[in-house]
Amino acid sequence: MTSSTSTSPFAPTQDELKALVGRAALQYVDPGSIVGVGTGSTVNKFIDALAGVKERIRGAVSSSEASTARLRALGIAVFDANEVDALAVYIDGADEIDARGYMIKGGGAALTREKIVAAMASRFICIADASKQVEVLGRYPLPVEVIPMAARQIARRFAALGGEARLRLQGDEPLVTDNGQHLLDVHGLHIEAPLAFESEVNQWPGVVTVGVFARQKATLCLLGTAQGVQTLRYD
Ligand code: 5RP
């Protein structure tokens, strides 16, 4: 990993750091392009910044109903993923990112579509505040989208790995994703080998998507720090 920092004189709040990296991501948006857009509070800042240059882009492929609604409300065209062959960049946040650019994602419940759109892109630009940096993935409960009838079986498999899977709720009911499925949040994992872990869990019957982004890892991360935006590049 290599890094460089652009400095700034103020001590920003977390919200300001998100806005800072959201704006910084604009430099990776090519004129005339269609941009892959993630989901979450940091991406919302990016979408707001993107609205300022919307005349210069063709539009976006979105990773969630929430991002689609925000993009459209700001007058940015949203293309179906099947209408687009490839994207130059995908811009998204993360719940955790390690020194190799491997991530945990899915805190906003959009991990499956995020992985689909990320897989269309040549480069994954992660935008995050410094609190998301970790040495080993797993402190943040790992989101896993599952077919509801397999939830218990999958929870038992995680228990055998030392993890405690909890069904994500919305109010008193299971949260239903944009794809009509459920989510498990797995606590207590220590993911030393993200590539192998992702491959293994992806093969369990009933797993739609595991929130480890190792195959679709970040190309670079724009990290919001008290000193400004730090650009971390991964091999
Ligand atoms: C949504 C995600 C988000 O990128 C992740 O949860 C980070 O969100 P935020 O920018 O709000 O901290 O994976 O599914």
Side-chain angles (χ1 to χ4, degrees):
M1 180 179 73
T2 58
S3 81
S4 55
T5 307
S6 60
T7 53
S8 168
F10 59 89
T13 63
Q14 192 180 30
D15 197 58
E16 287 168 338
L17 290 178
K18 291 179 181 189
L20 197 65
V21 293
R23 286 194 301 273
L26 285 183
Q27 67 190 288
Y28 295 96
V29 175
D30 294 332
S33 66
I34 298 175
V35 189
V37 175
T39 298
S41 57
T42 314
V43 165
N44 283 344
K45 304 291 191 190
F46 168 67
I47 294 173
D48 294 347
L50 194 62
V53 300
K54 66 183 175 192
E55 314 302 345
R56 283 185 251 152
I57 60 164
R58 284 177 63 202
V61 173
S62 166
S63 62
S64 65
E65 301 296 343
S67 288
T68 296
R70 194 177 188 97
L71 286 158
R72 290 204 167 122
L74 291 168
I76 299 169
V78 178
F79 292 84
D80 186 283
N82 290 301
E83 294 179 276
V84 178
D85 290 331
L87 300 166
V89 291
Y90 175 67
I91 295 171
D92 199 357
D95 297 303
E96 285 186 347
I97 184 161
D98 75 8
R100 294 166 292 184
Y102 297 142
M103 296 169 285
I104 283 183
K105 293 184 42 55
L111 63 162
T112 297
R113 296 188 189 193
E114 289 172 346
K115 215 174 254 195
I116 292 168
V117 186
M120 297 170 67
S122 304
R123 298 210 289 171
F124 189 133
I125 313 296
C126 177
I127 49 176
D129 65 84
S131 69
K132 306 295 182 66
Q133 261 190 321
V134 295
E135 279 188 24
V136 178
L137 299 178
R139 190 181 60 204
Y140 189 91
L142 175 69
V144 185
E145 186 164 357
V146 300
I147 304 287
M149 71 175 285
R152 281 272 173 91
Q153 178 184 136
I154 292 165
R156 282 194 293 272
R157 285 183 184 260
F158 278 117
L161 299 181
E164 186 202 342
R166 300 183 197 158
L167 187 64
R168 195 182 299 185
L169 301 177
Q170 192 164 45
D172 293 336
E173 299 296 322
L175 179 142
V176 178
T177 68
D178 285 352
N179 312 306
Q181 310 302 338
H182 288 174
L183 270 180
L184 297 175
D185 291 306
V186 188
H187 297 246
L189 294 172
H190 201 68
I191 306 170
E192 302 269 9
L195 271 169
F197 184 93
E198 181 181 22
S199 297
E200 163 69 17
V201 175
N202 268 335
Q203 294 184 53
W204 295 353
V207 169
V208 178
T209 303
V210 57
V212 170
F213 280 55
R215 290 171 183 274
Q216 269 77 47
K217 72 172 195 152
T219 310
L220 64 84
C221 181
L222 299 173
L223 196 72
T225 74
Q227 287 72 44
V229 178
Q230 193 177 1
T231 303
L232 307 174
R233 293 186 170 81
Y234 309 101
D235 295 332

